[in-house]
Amino acid sequence: MKKIALLLLLLTPIFSSAQLLEDAGIQQVILKATDKIYNYEFDEADEYIRAVKAKYPQHPVVPVMKAIQLYWQHLPLKENKAATTQYVNNLNQGIALSKKLLDRNANDPEGVFFSLASHGYLAMKYHYDDETLKAVGEAQKAYGYLKKGFKLMEKNPEFYFSTGLYNYYRERYPLDHPASKPLLIFFQDGDMPLGMKQMETAIRQGLFTRTETAIYLGHIYLEHEGQPARAAAVMKPLADKYPQNPIFNLMGAEALVLAGRYREAQPYIERLQKLPQKFLAMPVHVLEGLVAEKMNGDLKLATEQYQAAIKLPVDDVHTKEFAAQAYSGLARIAARAGDRNRAKAMYKKALSVAEYKSTIREAKNYLKS
């Protein structure tokens, strides 16, 4: 948007009676802001966020957008205490402003959505920081708004994301964690195929959630469904649209490699090598190892890449599974060489960190043989 357009927006009366949901102009500004955030153009994103705040100074969208920006700008967030504090403060402000909307109308779609988003982002933060009680507390608060969202999908397509995510994981989680079944007895049943369809709808129709939905759905295809081609279909467009985003490029490259589309993956791997985030070095070694092993049959280079990977630090959120893939690669190479003891040892290490069903299945099948 040109400077003059921003100026005109700033001159718009701030006490507008229309909700953001009904304001097509401001929705486009939000889209531009989120596009800039996801592509790591944070100064430009600030400009758009200020424009939204000028028109809707008391709307929770502003602090929630600021929190999302902090998350991406300081990835991994937990390594920056000052940014983490700001992140939490913004989400708490989002909750407070959402409450004002809900005090006027308990079923206000925007109040419900931004309450759900704020509590959900806090729950995720506390989960990754191993603050279980806080994570559970925020998740419990989010669940109340989640249930309201089930009935609001037609009024606000953003709820296709939260409803789809719930439908999928309500059934998936107890499959992966059988001990949790008694705890979930009071939670509404889910539907995994329906959940994935609803997330696909969110990608097409959502404004605020379309990109976040794609991230989660891509991860589901990789971790749980063993469908890297479908993950690539979701993540490759994001990597193309946001070339400076490390996670989108990493997931796109990973999906293409796991789908056997090695040559297509190469430009994304090369792009990852040029990005500044230090945590990318480890997964790049793994991706190059997989290409060397599976496309070129260069087991020496593959071994070097896998060994280099496992010597580097692991980020529990973004690179843990790559460690499992590196160990699995070393196991496959050892098995080819007839070194069964080493192969078993490497697969056991893979199992200790693996989350992808395909990785776990590969290791367990070998260890049973």
Side-chain angles (χ1 to χ4, degrees):
M1 181 181 287
K2 301 294 184 184
K3 295 284 185 180
I4 188 65
L6 275 175
L7 179 61
L8 289 172
L9 182 59
L10 290 172
L11 293 173
T12 304
I14 61 175
F15 296 107
S16 170
S17 60
Q19 282 199 308
L20 184 148
L21 182 64
E22 301 165 354
D23 189 334
I26 210 70
Q27 289 180 13
Q28 290 305 307
V29 179
I30 291 172
L31 275 179
K32 291 178 188 297
T34 54
D35 280 345
K36 296 299 182 183
I37 290 171
Y38 289 130
N39 201 39
Y40 276 59
E41 298 172 276
F42 299 115
D43 290 341
E44 293 90 336
D46 284 334
E47 208 170 338
Y48 291 116
I49 293 172
R50 283 194 294 269
V52 177
K53 185 175 182 179
K55 190 170 185 183
Y56 292 91
Q58 295 299 309
H59 198 286
V61 67
V62 175
V64 173
M65 287 173 69
K66 288 181 178 177
I68 293 171
Q69 177 169 335
L70 285 163
Y71 174 85
W72 287 104
Q73 190 167 358
H74 299 283
L75 197 74
L77 181 65
K78 66 181 180 181
E79 294 181 5
N80 188 313
K81 290 184 179 180
T84 299
T85 299
Q86 292 177 50
Y87 175 82
V88 172
N89 289 344
N90 275 304
L91 291 175
N92 283 327
Q93 187 182 359
I95 291 167
L97 292 175
S98 297
K99 185 177 184 300
K100 290 184 179 181
L101 296 177
L102 294 170
D103 285 344
R104 293 195 291 269
N105 174 8
N107 294 311
D108 181 282
E110 293 174 28
V112 173
F113 173 74
F114 286 104
S115 293
L116 171 59
S118 298
H119 286 297
Y121 283 128
L122 283 172
M124 179 179 69
K125 183 263 182 197
Y126 292 131
H127 168 72
Y128 287 133
D129 289 351
D130 293 323
E131 296 185 69
T132 305
L133 291 179
K134 288 185 177 180
V136 170
E138 294 296 337
Q140 288 175 333
K141 293 171 185 175
Y143 181 64
Y145 299 109
L146 181 69
K147 289 192 294 184
K148 287 188 176 183
F150 295 161
K151 302 174 182 178
L152 293 171
M153 283 185 289
E154 298 305 318
K155 292 183 178 180
N156 187 344
E158 310 300 338
F159 288 109
Y160 278 105
F161 169 45
S162 55
T163 304
L165 200 64
Y166 177 85
N167 270 327
Y168 185 85
Y169 277 106
R170 170 60 182 85
E171 299 304 310
R172 169 57 68 185
Y173 192 82
L175 290 177
D176 296 341
H177 306 87
S180 70
K181 287 183 180 180
L183 302 175
L184 296 173
I185 191 169
F186 298 109
F187 288 77
Q188 181 173 320
D189 289 345
D191 182 325
M192 287 194 290
L194 176 60
M196 286 189 285
K197 287 180 181 178
Q198 288 167 331
M199 282 186 273
E200 289 167 357
T201 300
I203 292 172
R204 293 193 304 271
Q205 297 183 17
L207 170 74
F208 201 77
T209 58
R210 62 176 61 169
T211 301
E212 295 287 324
T213 307
I215 300 169
Y216 277 91
L217 188 57
H219 185 74
I220 284 170
Y221 285 138
L222 286 174
E223 178 176 349
H224 299 294
E225 299 298 317
Q227 298 184 50
R230 296 191 74 173
V234 171
M235 293 309 303
K236 185 176 178 294
L238 290 187
D240 291 337
K241 186 175 182 180
Y242 305 110
Q244 298 182 74
N245 187 295
I247 299 303
F248 299 167
N249 281 282
L250 184 58
M251 290 184 69
E254 179 190 15
L256 288 168
V257 167
L258 294 181
R261 293 156 61 179
Y262 307 112
R263 287 188 173 82
E264 281 184 78
Q266 201 60 50
Y268 301 98
I269 297 173
E270 291 172 1
R271 189 184 294 169
L272 289 167
Q273 292 171 328
K274 297 174 184 176
L275 292 176
Q277 289 79 16
K278 293 181 180 178
F279 72 87
L280 293 174
M282 185 267 198
V284 165
H285 280 302
V286 177
L287 292 170
E288 291 189 322
L290 287 166
V291 171
E293 176 195 358
K294 295 189 176 257
M295 184 176 82
N296 300 325
D298 189 340
L299 301 188
K300 181 177 182 296
L301 177 58
T303 298
E304 291 172 357
Q305 294 288 358
Y306 294 143
Q307 288 178 335
I310 62 177
K311 291 176 182 177
L312 293 174
V314 173
D315 177 82
D316 283 347
V317 180
H318 304 295
T319 65
K320 188 176 179 181
E321 186 63 27
F322 287 97
Q325 292 180 29
Y327 286 125
S328 295
L330 291 170
R332 288 190 298 272
I333 293 168
R336 277 193 180 193
D339 189 345
R340 184 167 174 78
N341 288 336
R342 177 168 170 76
K344 290 173 67 175
M346 290 298 101
Y347 271 133
K348 286 178 181 178
K349 287 189 174 184
L351 282 177
S352 71
V353 292
E355 294 179 340
Y356 286 12
K357 302 297 182 294
S358 55
T359 309
I360 293 169
R361 185 166 53 249
E362 177 186 333
K364 286 186 173 180
N365 285 344
Y366 184 86
L367 292 171
K368 287 177 183 177
S369 62

